[in-house]
Amino acid sequence: MSQIVTLEQLKQTLGAKIAAGAKVVAPVLDGEFASFKEISDVEQASFVPRVCMQNSIKEFFFPKHETVFTFVRQGADVVLNDAPEFDVEQIVVGARPCDAAALPVLDPLFGWDYQDKFYQTRREKTTVVSFACTKTDAHCFCTAVGGSPENTYGADAILFDLGDGSFEVRTITDKGKALFDGKTTESDKVGHACDAPVVDFDVARISDWIRANFSSPVWEKVSLRCVGCGACAFVCPTCHCFDIVDEGSYNKGKRVKNWDSCQEAMFTLHASGHNPRGTQGKRQRQRLSHKFVTYPDKFHFYLCTGCGSCSRSCGQAFGVRPCLEALDKESAKSEQ
Ligand code: SF4
Ligand code: SF4
């Protein structure tokens, strides 16, 4: 038998969590667009599975701007104070499977040579409830990197929209079970995700091509459309570059982490004026190499869940999928 939760029961469950002081994040509509936002009332949320989101859930684990510590000068001393810990329960509901799948991809990065307690604490305190996909678009390619429209990787529970004001609930972890414990009823209804996106390129073959073609002129050719705005990195659930800067004055201030992007020209600009990645081709090579060679070599995951957000957000109709398709053609030529 399946476990079913009605939309009203789901709203009551989340409403009770908000009333108890939890932070609840859900898709919120703004005109025709939807973004993941913290809600203070369940009626602010849209509980409809969506392909296109304006942001990913990563900012609720790895914020755009985060204080590491504050400092204040007292006489000859400088007093440092750690930033307050994230100490509330957090529930992220409505994640796409390709959003949730980014979390286990990022876990080893934030728990590797440096244990990032900011990320790790948010991960421990968060329950992720994803929606199985009900449609895909031309930008989706989760299947090329091991995902699917009903992939449960990174989710604590997944909801299947039954189209009648209720969802089939499949709990994956103890956190997911705890959230829905006593909130569901048994039913013989079974939810289904949409068909998987069609993918006609081979990521493993492209990875091999990237490995063997660091100096290829193809990088400049395929990157001509890219203007280096960095939008693709900011919407990406797996991109995680950040910069650390001190803000304030000599006497008082804070050290902060801010999101950054390897697609921006200043990312690698040296004080001397030299830039080792001085063209967009070199910057795209870095992005693709990191996602499909360096990261999987180190952590055994592609640094990409195939969500397609980079392409949907790109003003130049570029992003990772068109780049992979162009490189796939090159790798096919190399095999001939
Ligand atoms: S691929 Fe598109 S979104 Fe990304 S940096 Fe280039 S122009 Fe901007
Ligand atoms: S690179 Fe593009 S397709 Fe891959 S996870 Fe990031 S936004 Fe999604």
Side-chain angles (χ1 to χ4, degrees), residues 141 236-238 287 291 304-310 320:
F141 62 96
C236 176
T238 58
R287 187 158 200 253
K291 286 186 177 294
C304 174
T305 63
C307 70
S309 290
C310 49
V320 160

Side-chain angles (χ1 to χ4, degrees), residues 30 151 183 297:
D30 180 8
N151 186 29
K183 310 292 191 314
D297 278 356

Side-chain angles (χ1 to χ4, degrees), residues 14-310:
L14 298 174
K17 288 290 184 185
I18 294 170
K23 178 173 175 176
V24 174
V25 172
V28 174
L29 279 177
D30 180 8
E32 62 189 293
F33 301 111
S35 308
F36 292 108
K37 288 185 181 167
E38 182 179 0
I39 55 170
S40 55
D41 182 327
V42 287
E43 298 306 331
Q44 294 166 345
S46 166
F47 296 100
V48 177
R50 285 173 198 287
V51 183
C52 181
M53 294 295 300
Q54 296 298 297
N55 59 350
S56 81
I57 62 171
K58 84 175 166 193
E59 68 188 68
F60 302 98
F61 300 87
F62 163 45
K64 290 173 195 163
H65 174 86
E66 180 166 55
T67 301
V68 179
F69 60 77
T70 59
F71 61 88
V72 60
R73 191 168 291 276
Q74 290 181 352
D77 294 328
V78 176
V79 177
L80 305 181
N81 291 300
D82 285 341
E85 269 194 26
F86 185 83
D87 64 353
V88 294
E89 180 184 9
Q90 176 167 257
I91 298 157
V92 174
V93 65
R96 299 167 303 176
C98 46
D99 283 314
L103 298 171
V105 171
L106 289 175
D107 287 344
L109 183 279
F110 286 113
W112 168 47
D113 57 345
Y114 176 75
Q115 301 295 316
D116 190 314
K117 66 176 184 175
F118 300 99
Y119 174 88
Q120 291 174 344
T121 304
R122 286 186 172 87
R123 271 291 266 151
E124 280 162 23
K125 292 185 178 295
T126 304
T127 303
V128 177
V129 180
S130 56
F131 284 160
C133 298
T134 52
K135 60 181 175 182
T136 60
D137 70 12
H139 303 296
C140 297
F141 62 96
C142 58
T143 36
V145 287
S148 79
E150 57 182 36
N151 186 29
T152 57
Y153 210 48
D156 296 296
I158 185 166
L159 304 185
F160 290 77
D161 192 346
L162 294 170
D164 61 357
S166 68
F167 301 89
E168 184 198 344
V169 182
R170 296 185 199 166
T171 53
I172 319 297
T173 66
D174 288 344
K175 282 185 196 169
K177 288 188 181 93
L179 181 64
F180 287 102
D181 187 31
K183 310 292 191 314
T184 59
T185 51
E186 287 199 337
S187 166
D188 55 5
K189 292 180 186 172
V190 177
H192 298 283
C194 61
D195 290 342
V198 176
V199 175
D200 56 2
F201 52 88
D202 180 342
V203 172
R205 183 172 72 176
I206 297 166
S207 299
D208 289 343
W209 185 91
I210 294 173
R211 210 181 282 279
N213 287 279
F214 184 83
S215 302
S216 170
V218 166
W219 289 111
E220 297 300 337
K221 197 173 86 184
V222 300
S223 307
L224 283 174
R225 269 190 280 170
C226 175
V227 297
C229 66
C232 50
F234 297 143
V235 296
C236 176
T238 58
C239 278
H240 53 262
C241 289
F242 62 86
D243 196 12
I244 294 184
V245 292
D246 289 347
E247 294 181 353
S249 67
Y250 177 75
N251 290 319
K252 188 180 172 188
K254 57 185 180 176
R255 180 158 296 177
V256 297
K257 288 161 70 178
N258 295 318
W259 284 2
D260 206 343
S261 167
C262 65
Q263 291 312 289
E264 293 170 4
M266 286 183 69
F267 187 77
T268 46
L269 183 64
H270 295 184
S272 66
H274 172 64
N275 192 340
R277 292 188 209 135
T279 65
Q280 210 53 40
K282 288 179 177 165
R283 296 190 272 274
Q284 281 291 340
R285 179 182 66 195
Q286 163 61 24
R287 187 158 200 253
L288 273 286
S289 301
H290 189 205
K291 286 186 177 294
F292 298 101
V293 176
T294 324
Y295 202 88
D297 278 356
K298 190 164 194 69
F299 295 124
H300 313 294
F301 290 108
Y302 289 125
L303 187 61
C304 174
T305 63
C307 70
S309 290
C310 49

